[in-house]
Amino acid sequence: MPYIPHTEEETRAMLDIVGVRTLDDLFADISPDMRPKSFSLPAGLSEMEVCSRLDSLAAANHTNVVSFLGAGFYDHHIPKAVDALSSRGEFLTAYTPYQPEVSQGTLQAIFEFQTAVCRLLDMDAANASVYDGGSALFEAGMMAFRQTRRRKLVIDECVNPIWRVMLSTYTANQHCEIVIVPHKNGTSDKAALKAAVDRDCAAVMVQNPGFFGSLDDYTELFTHARSQGALGVISVYPVMQSVLKTPGEMGADIAVADGQELGMPLSFGGPYLGLMACRRELVRQMPGRIAGRTHDVDGKTGYVLTLQAREQHIRRSKATSNICSNQALCALRALIHMSLLGPEGLSRTAELGMENLRRALDRLTSIPGVTMLNDAPFGNEAAIVLPMSAYELADRLTRKGYVPGFPVGNYYKNMDNVLLVTCTEKHSREQIGILCEMMASELRGGM
Amino acid sequence: MKTLFEQSCPGRVGVIPRKPGKRASDMLSASLLRRETPRLPELSELDVVRHFTGLSRLNYSVDGNFYPLGSCTMKYNAKFMEYAAGLSGFTALHPLMAQLRGAGHYTQGALQVIWELEQQLCEITGMKAFTLQPMAGANGEFTGVMLIAAYHRDKGNRKTKIIIPDSAHGTNPASATLAGYDVVNIPSRDGIIDPEELEAVLDDEVAALMMTCPNTLGLFENNLPHIVEKLRRVDALLYYDGANMNAIMGKMRVGDVGFDVVHLNLHKTFGTPHGGGGPGSGPVGVSERLIPFLPVSRVEKQQDGSFVLSYDKPKSIGYIAPFYGNFGVFLKAYAYILRLGGEGLRRASEYAVLNANYLRRKLEHTLNIPHERLCMHEFVASAPEGLRALDIAKAMLDRGVHAPTVYFPLIVPECLMFEPTETENKETLDELVSLLEEIIKTGRENPQALLDAPVHTPVRRLDETAAARRMILTEDMAE
C-alpha cells in the first residue's frame, strides 16, 4: 500500500504485541451496526496514472489566453526562487511552531514577514496572516467591535464586493449593523461616508485602490472617524501599495489586504493570504499567530509565538478569533517574493502595470463609444464604459484568446456596460495592441 | 541568524523587472503617493537563497524528523502531490474565468476536480453533500455551526446553546461563539462523554453537540448511538470534528451513524503538507436537511457531463471563501485519494491505529497511560511521577524527534499526546521507545539534565514571558 512501510511480518509482530489477531480487531469499539453502509471508492492508481489524470484535467482549463482580468487578484511574474525556497521540505512539512527550539526557521520568517508587512503598510504590528483579504476584513471588523464596544460598521461600496459578501456572511449572527455607502460613479462618496460615521459606529471601512481602480486619500475620513471614537480600516492592494500613500500616512487604525499578488499563483481562487496590520494600541485585539523576539537561557536571540492569551487554544470561547491554521506557507512565499524584488522591484512592478494600462486606455478610449467611467486617478486598473454589454464583449473576445477584463455588472446594478481592465508588468506592447484592435473591430462590428 | 533587514545593502538588487518608462510620480500627483519607498530588504538573489536555506535548516519537519504531534496527523506528504498542484493549467487559472460564459465553460477541468473531490468525501464520510470552501479546519467548524444556525432559523427553532465536551479542541468553543452561540461545557467520564452529564444540560435551547470522535484522548465514543437518540428528541444536531478522521476511514462513516455536519482537515487526513501552519483546507459535509444552506457557489454536473457553477440557492449562508476555497490544496488531496483508493484509505486508518496501539503498549511501563483500553490513532500519557511533560518534550527535541503535543487535552495532568501516523515504520517507533526510556531514566538519575534540555538545538529554552512583556514584534519595535 502506498506510504505504509510495514511488511507482513512486522504487521504480525506488532499485532501480537498489541494483543489482537487482525487489523480489524483494533476497531472492536465500532460495533457491527455502526460499520459503513458503503465504501465504494475506486481502486488506487499508480503515481504515473494519477499524474496523467491531473495532466488532462489541467489541460481542460483555458489558461492559454491573454488576460486583462484582475478585480483584486493579479497575475504577476513570480521569481522562480520563490518556488524553489518555499518548497523546501523543512518549511513545507513542518507544523505550527509550537516547539520554538526546533522551529526557529518558521518563527524568524514570521517575524520578518510581520516586519515587511508593517513596512509596506506603514503600521506598527502585523500577525502571521489570516486566510485571505475577505477574512482579514471580517477580523478587522471584529477587532473594532471589541475595541469600541459598538456594533456598527460603515463600509464603502467601492470595497471589493467579494469581500463585502464574505463580511456579511461571517457577521450574520453577530448582532451588528452593516451600513453600505453607495459608490459615486465608481469612486468613494466621501461626504456620505463621513455623514454615516457617528458615535455608534465601530469602524469605517474603505479600499484603496477601490474596486473600480480609482485612487483616493482617506486622511480626512479617518480623522473624522477618530473624532467619533470609531476606527479607520483600509483594505489595499499590496503591489500598488509600494507606491501609494500608506495606511499609516492616512491615519488608519487597521490595514488589511489580500497578499495573493506577493508570490501566490492565481490557482483558481486559493490558497491566498490575508494580511493584517494595526496600530500598536490594538495589538491585543488582533487575531491569529504573532511571533515575537526574545532570548534563550544562554542569552541567544530567538523567536516565539507570543501574546497567546488572545488565542483559542488558551481562551477557548473567549478568544479573539477561532483561527488556528493560517496561511503560513503563503506568508513565507510573500516574504521571499518581497525580498527578491526589494523596494525597487516592487515599485517597478506597480509602475509597469500603470504604464501599460495608460498605453491601453489611450487607444481604447479613442474607440467611438468607449469612455472612462470617471476621471478619478487610477493605478494599474480602471473601469471603462462600453457601447454594449461588457459580459457579451468579454465572451466574444475570450473565444478568440483575449480576456479583455472583468464585467462588473455581475456585482453592481446598472453597470452591465462597465468593464474593469487590469494591466500588469507581464503584458507586452504587442498584446496590448492586439487587445485594442480586437476591441475596436468588435465594437465597430457590433454597432 | 541575522534578519533579512540586517543584511540589507542599499542599492543591491535581486530579481527585479526592467525599468519602467515612467515612474509613479510622472503618472500620479504627489498627494496620492507614499513619501518614501517601503524599507524592504535590498539583497541579491543569492543573499535571499542563502538566508532562507539557512532558516530552513533550523526547523524540524516530517521530511527530516519523526513528528508524533498528537491531533495534528503529521503523516508523510507525498512529493507527487506538489506536481499536481503546480501544473500551469491550474496555477494560471484566474478564479473569475469561471464567471465568464456559461458559468464555468473555461474552467471545466478545475470544476471537475471540485465536483469529484466532493463526491469522494461524501463516499468516505457517508454525508450527502460537501462544500470545499472553508480554508482551514477552524473555518470549517465556523461554517458548520453557521449551517446549524441557518437550519434552526429556517425551522423557526429558538436555539441559543451548543454543547461541547471538555476534551474538545479550543477551536470548537471559539467557532461556536463566533457563530453566535453560548457554549455549554460538559465533563467527560473515563475519557468519553458521560450520558448523564449530557442529559443534565440537554434542553430545547440546545442547537447542537460538537463532538470529536475518536475524541482528543484517542478514545472512541462508545455511547454514540444513545447520544444521537437523545439529541434527536430536542431537534439538536450532531457536529463531527473531523480532526481525527485518520482513525476511522473505511471503519465507520459519520453520515451512517447520524451526524449532521462534519468538517475534515485535508492537511491532516489527506496528506497535504502543513506548511508551518497552513494553508489548510476544511471541507464541510452535511446531511440531507442541511444541503439548502451550503455556501455558494455550488458546482453541479449537467446531463451532458459538463460542470457548471450555481449561485441560485436562496437559503445559502453566503460566501465562506472568496471563490471556491483553497483550490491548490484540493488538488493535492484529490491526487492522494486517487492514489490510495478505497482500500488504501482503509489501510491508512488501520495502520495509523496499529502504530498508535503498538507505541502505547511499548510505553506502558515508561509513562502513565490512563485508559486501559485500545486507543484509536493517538493516545495520551502522563509524565511519570516527579517529571514534567514539558521537560520530556524538550529532551526529545535534543534527540532529533519532534515532541508530542503537550498539556492538551487540558483534563489530563502532565499530558503527552502521541500520534505516530501510519507512515512511520516499526524501527522508528522502537527507537522512540528506547529514547523515551533513556530520557525517563536520565530524569530520575539526573533531574537537572532534563531541566537543561535542549542543548543541541539551534536555540535553547526561550523566555516567553520576556517576549510577551517586551513585545518586539517587528524589527522596528526597538527594545
Side-chain angles (χ1 to χ4, degrees):
Chain A
M1 281 293 150
Y3 321 122
I4 297 173
H6 306 61
T7 65
E8 261 180 58
E9 293 71 37
E10 285 171 331
T11 304
R12 213 167 303 120
M14 291 171 77
L15 286 170
D16 282 348
I17 294 212
V18 174
V20 296
R21 222 167 40 80
T22 69
L23 284 164
D24 194 59
D25 288 348
L26 294 165
F27 299 84
D29 275 341
I30 306 178
S31 57
D33 57 324
M34 291 171 74
R35 293 305 179 109
K37 292 189 179 129
S38 140
F39 196 69
S40 62
L41 291 146
L45 301 174
S46 70
E47 184 177 298
M48 188 179 78
E49 289 167 321
V50 179
C51 288
S52 91
R53 176 133 165 209
L54 280 146
D55 287 339
S56 22
L57 286 164
N61 298 316
H62 288 237
T63 48
N64 54 343
V65 289
V66 176
S67 170
F68 295 83
L69 278 179
F73 310 94
Y74 302 97
D75 180 24
H76 291 292
H77 175 70
I78 301 171
K80 300 304 169 195
V82 173
D83 282 328
L85 293 169
S86 68
S87 62
R88 287 182 66 89
E90 297 90 335
F91 289 128
L92 184 69
T93 72
Y95 193 54
T96 303
Y98 290 130
Q99 294 291 339
E101 297 88 344
V102 293
S103 312
Q104 286 298 301
T106 296
L107 284 161
Q108 184 172 330
I110 295 173
F111 180 85
E112 293 175 351
F113 169 78
Q114 289 168 184
T115 305
V117 170
C118 285
R119 289 187 178 187
L120 181 65
L121 304 178
D122 200 8
M123 301 300 282
D124 297 328
N127 67 13
S129 77
V130 293
Y131 309 125
D132 79 307
S135 47
L137 194 69
F138 159 71
E139 293 285 9
M142 296 294 287
M143 283 175 72
F145 291 158
R146 288 191 295 270
Q147 179 71 16
T148 64
R149 296 168 192 269
R150 301 176 184 177
R151 306 299 288 179
K152 182 164 85 176
L153 298 174
V154 171
I155 185 164
D156 187 352
E157 202 184 9
C158 290
V159 172
N160 198 318
I162 296 165
W163 298 332
R164 280 192 285 112
V165 180
M166 285 176 70
L167 181 71
S168 55
T169 302
Y170 279 63
T171 54
N173 297 348
Q174 281 296 326
H175 307 288
C176 65
E177 185 188 355
I178 297 180
V179 178
I180 297 170
V181 177
H183 70 91
K184 212 167 66 184
N185 211 25
T187 64
S188 296
D189 187 341
K190 286 195 285 186
L193 280 163
K194 197 171 164 186
V197 177
D198 55 21
R199 301 208 72 88
D200 295 327
C201 172
V204 59
M205 303 177 134
V206 295
Q207 183 179 307
N208 192 47
F211 184 74
F212 298 92
S214 52
L215 307 179
D216 216 325
D217 180 355
Y218 297 95
T219 308
E220 260 188 63
L221 179 64
F222 293 151
T223 306
H224 171 71
R226 183 151 306 147
S227 76
Q228 299 299 303
L231 301 186
V233 176
I234 188 165
S235 178
V236 301
Y237 293 160
V239 170
M240 281 305 300
Q241 191 55 66
S242 66
V243 299
L244 294 180
K245 186 163 184 172
T246 65
E249 287 167 337
M250 292 186 200
D253 296 289
I254 304 172
V256 297
D258 197 304
Q260 175 271 326
E261 51 172 350
L262 298 173
M264 264 46 71
L266 288 162
S267 273
F268 203 50
Y272 294 164
L273 170 67
L275 308 182
M276 279 198 93
C278 65
R279 286 192 301 109
R280 194 183 174 116
E281 296 75 19
L282 295 170
V283 171
R284 283 172 208 280
Q285 300 296 356
M286 196 152 56
R289 313 284 189 212
I290 299 175
R293 180 183 277 164
T294 186
H295 51 77
D296 74 1
V297 290
D298 297 333
K300 190 172 173 187
T301 296
Y303 302 86
V304 291
L305 293 179
T306 192
L307 306 178
Q308 296 193 66
R310 302 164 296 111
E311 292 191 64
Q312 47 77 24
H313 61 283
I314 311 275
R315 290 295 294 282
R316 299 178 77 83
S317 63
K318 295 188 174 57
T320 52
S321 168
N322 69 334
I323 193 165
C324 181
S325 278
N326 47 66
Q327 305 287 108
L329 197 74
C330 303
L332 177 74
R333 290 181 67 96
L335 176 67
I336 299 170
H337 187 86
M338 286 188 275
S339 313
L340 288 165
L341 268 80
E344 177 66 12
L346 212 55
S347 39
R348 280 190 189 182
T349 305
E351 288 159 341
L352 287 167
M354 292 167 71
E355 199 179 12
N356 277 337
L357 181 63
R358 279 153 181 75
R359 193 170 286 142
L361 290 176
D362 278 351
R363 293 187 54 186
L364 291 176
T365 52
S366 70
I367 302 170
V370 177
T371 55
M372 298 293 295
L373 175 66
N374 55 49
D375 58 5
F378 57 87
N380 71 327
E381 189 160 53
I384 55 174
V385 186
L386 306 173
M388 67 178 290
S389 151
Y391 183 82
E392 179 62 28
L393 177 90
D395 184 24
R396 286 193 212 162
L397 262 55
T398 304
R399 288 170 199 234
K400 297 175 185 168
Y402 269 67
V403 187
F406 183 65
V408 304
N410 286 3
Y411 293 117
Y412 290 89
K413 274 185 200 141
N414 306 320
M415 295 191 97
D416 287 346
N417 289 8
V418 178
L419 186 73
L420 188 62
V421 184
T422 306
C423 286
T424 71
E425 78 287 359
K426 286 179 84 168
H427 294 113
S428 67
R429 270 172 196 265
E430 291 70 29
Q431 289 171 337
I432 290 168
I434 294 170
L435 172 77
C436 296
E437 278 161 33
M438 285 172 87
M439 260 172 85
S441 95
E442 200 61 58
L443 291 172
R444 238 178 273 123
M447 282 198 309
Chain B
M1 270 177 67
K2 274 190 176 178
T3 66
L4 280 167
F5 304 94
E6 288 167 329
Q7 296 170 57
S8 178
C9 171
R12 191 175 287 168
V13 293
V15 191
I16 64 168
R18 68 185 160 81
K19 206 170 180 142
K22 289 178 190 163
R23 301 311 308 241
S25 53
D26 304 325
M27 296 181 272
L28 294 171
S29 81
S31 65
L32 293 170
L33 298 176
R34 61 189 296 157
R35 281 195 287 269
E36 53 179 40
T37 52
R39 288 170 304 126
L40 296 172
E42 296 177 72
L43 297 165
S44 72
E45 179 168 339
L46 178 57
D47 291 337
V48 175
V49 169
R50 287 257 163 86
H51 179 73
F52 286 100
T53 303
L55 283 187
S56 77
R57 289 185 177 144
L58 306 180
N59 273 0
Y60 276 12
S61 63
V62 174
D63 279 4
N65 311 77
F66 182 26
Y67 214 120
L69 191 64
S71 215
C72 300
T73 314
M74 300 300 285
K75 61 169 80 176
Y76 170 62
N77 311 124
K79 297 299 169 193
F80 86 106
M81 297 192 291
E82 298 303 312
Y83 167 83
L87 288 165
S88 69
F90 296 123
T91 57
L93 193 60
H94 196 294
L96 290 170
M97 277 295 280
Q99 295 189 16
L100 303 174
R101 194 175 167 202
H105 175 81
Y106 297 112
T107 60
Q108 285 295 299
L111 296 188
Q112 186 173 344
V113 169
I114 291 175
W115 191 84
E116 287 187 7
L117 180 56
E118 286 181 3
Q119 299 302 306
Q120 289 165 344
L121 298 179
C122 283
E123 185 60 23
I124 292 166
T125 58
M127 302 310 286
K128 290 290 183 282
F130 258 87
T131 171
L132 304 185
Q133 280 194 36
M135 294 170 280
N139 199 217
E141 292 176 19
F142 171 73
T143 306
V145 182
M146 290 299 281
L147 292 169
I148 290 168
Y151 164 83
H152 287 307
R153 195 177 304 127
D154 188 59
K155 276 189 85 177
N157 290 348
R158 294 168 61 90
K159 304 278 194 179
T160 57
K161 297 186 280 197
I162 286 197
I163 302 175
I164 299 177
D166 56 2
S167 60
H169 297 118
T171 47
N172 285 182
S175 300
T177 305
L178 197 57
Y181 284 105
D182 296 328
V183 172
V184 179
N185 283 299
I186 52 167
S188 38
R189 194 175 65 192
D190 300 329
I192 59 175
I193 290 179
D194 182 342
E196 283 170 28
E197 293 285 351
L198 178 63
E199 190 69 52
V201 295
L202 201 58
D203 60 29
D204 286 336
E205 290 181 354
V206 172
L209 166 67
M210 290 180 90
M211 247 175 105
T212 308
C213 179
N215 65 21
T216 54
L217 297 162
L219 302 178
F220 190 81
E221 290 286 355
N222 303 69
N223 299 315
L224 197 51
H226 301 290
I227 293 171
V228 172
E229 197 194 303
K230 279 183 203 296
L231 292 170
R232 284 279 148 82
R233 284 208 310 266
V234 295
D235 199 12
L237 304 186
L238 191 52
Y239 183 100
Y240 180 92
D241 180 329
N244 296 341
M245 182 55 107
N246 208 43
I248 60 163
M249 285 186 291
K251 298 297 174 184
M252 183 185 96
R253 301 198 314 168
V254 290
D256 295 344
V257 298
F259 283 89
D260 296 286
V261 192
V262 50
H263 88 263
L264 303 176
N265 298 70
L266 297 186
H267 49 289
K268 292 181 178 176
T269 316
F270 300 98
T272 75
H274 287 70
S281 175
V284 168
V286 294
S287 60
E288 195 78 45
R289 51 187 175 161
L290 290 174
I291 292 177
F293 310 104
L294 286 172
V296 285
S297 57
R298 302 282 305 142
V299 176
E300 288 170 1
K301 190 172 183 177
Q302 295 183 298
Q303 294 264 304
D304 64 359
S306 67
F307 299 90
V308 67
L309 284 174
S310 167
Y311 292 86
D312 185 23
K313 307 284 169 194
K315 290 185 177 180
S316 166
I317 58 167
Y319 283 39
I320 289 296
F323 298 103
Y324 325 103
N326 279 344
F327 183 77
V329 180
F330 307 165
L331 289 167
K332 298 180 193 185
Y334 174 73
Y336 177 83
I337 294 169
L338 288 178
R339 175 89 174 92
L340 267 68
E343 184 58 20
L345 293 173
R346 177 162 42 230
R347 288 275 155 177
S349 284
E350 286 175 344
Y351 280 91
V353 174
L354 176 64
N355 273 359
N357 276 290
Y358 177 76
L359 197 57
R360 178 183 62 84
R361 283 305 295 263
K362 298 279 273 189
L363 287 172
E364 256 170 6
H365 304 294
T366 313
L367 302 172
N368 293 332
I369 296 176
H371 307 98
E372 277 284 327
R373 52 180 270 195
L374 284 173
C375 66
M376 298 300 280
H377 67 309
E378 66 188 358
F379 63 95
V380 294
S382 289
E385 192 67 33
L387 296 179
R388 293 195 310 162
L390 183 72
D391 299 328
I392 295 173
K394 298 303 181 194
M396 288 173 72
L397 303 179
D398 247 349
R399 289 154 178 83
V401 174
H402 195 280
T405 296
V406 287
Y407 301 106
F408 181 84
L410 310 169
I411 51 180
V412 177
E414 293 301 327
C415 184
L416 295 148
M417 182 186 197
F418 293 88
E419 180 180 6
T421 84
E422 72 279 10
T423 58
E424 297 297 333
N425 65 31
K426 183 169 171 293
E427 290 92 318
T428 305
L429 304 181
D430 290 337
E431 279 162 23
L432 178 68
V433 172
S434 357
L435 186 147
L436 278 163
E437 285 167 354
E438 181 259 317
I439 289 172
I440 303 300
K441 190 160 168 272
T442 305
R444 297 223 184 286
E445 291 167 0
N446 178 11
Q448 193 59 38
L450 246 54
L451 295 175
D452 287 344
V455 293
H456 303 303
T457 47
V459 291
R460 297 182 57 204
R461 287 193 206 193
L462 292 147
D463 190 340
E464 297 188 13
T465 317
R469 198 183 58 239
R470 285 150 66 198
M471 224 167 70
I472 303 170
L473 312 178
T474 71
E475 198 77 89
D476 303 314
M477 286 184 165
E479 297 188 38

